[in-house]
Amino acid sequence: MIPYVDNHNGPRRLLTIEIPHLGHTVRAYAPIASIDGRQYVVSWGSVSFEIPADRNVHVSVHLHTNSGHEHTITPFASIVLSPHPAPMRLVTQFVPSQGPEGALVPLV
């Protein structure tokens, strides 16, 4: 679990983000997760963060690449989570061939 690093003395909760790869994305991209603007180079699969439970939190994921003109698209997804005490799971959904905008979808 990656701890919340900004100044926050209130309650916290667990956020797990699933970042599945799409075959070629493992070689062409590096996943980067961002919590309230702080970026973390993470691994494919599940990554967990500690986040504030008593205020909105901005979460985003993008896929970074330096692989040249064929892979210059940088897929991204973003969501603002409302205050809530319960743990949460999100899954990223990217289809780079259909454009850069993806989605962060809650798993129930």
Side-chain angles (χ1 to χ4, degrees):
M1 176 186 62
I2 299 172
Y4 191 75
V5 297
D6 287 333
N7 186 23
H8 179 262
N9 295 324
R12 298 180 184 205
R13 65 178 167 153
L14 183 67
L15 169 66
T16 302
I17 304 173
E18 302 287 339
I19 308 172
H21 61 81
L22 306 170
H24 73 282
T25 56
V26 172
R27 291 188 316 270
Y29 295 100
I32 298 176
S34 178
I35 306 295
D36 285 341
R38 295 221 183 233
Q39 294 186 346
Y40 303 89
V41 177
V42 296
S43 60
W44 298 101
S46 295
V47 61
S48 295
F49 295 90
E50 178 184 58
I51 64 170
D54 60 346
R55 65 171 180 75
N56 288 347
V57 176
H58 178 245
V59 178
S60 65
V61 175
H62 71 274
L63 304 181
H64 179 74
T65 186
N66 287 325
S67 295
H69 73 280
E70 291 180 29
H71 303 289
T72 55
I73 189 170
T74 302
F76 65 92
S78 179
I79 191 171
V80 175
L81 300 177
S82 300
H84 198 279
M88 177 167 237
R89 293 178 70 85
L90 299 172
V91 64
T92 56
Q93 296 178 342
F94 293 120
V95 184
S97 62
Q98 295 179 8
E101 190 171 350
L104 280 165
V105 179
L107 290 174
V108 243

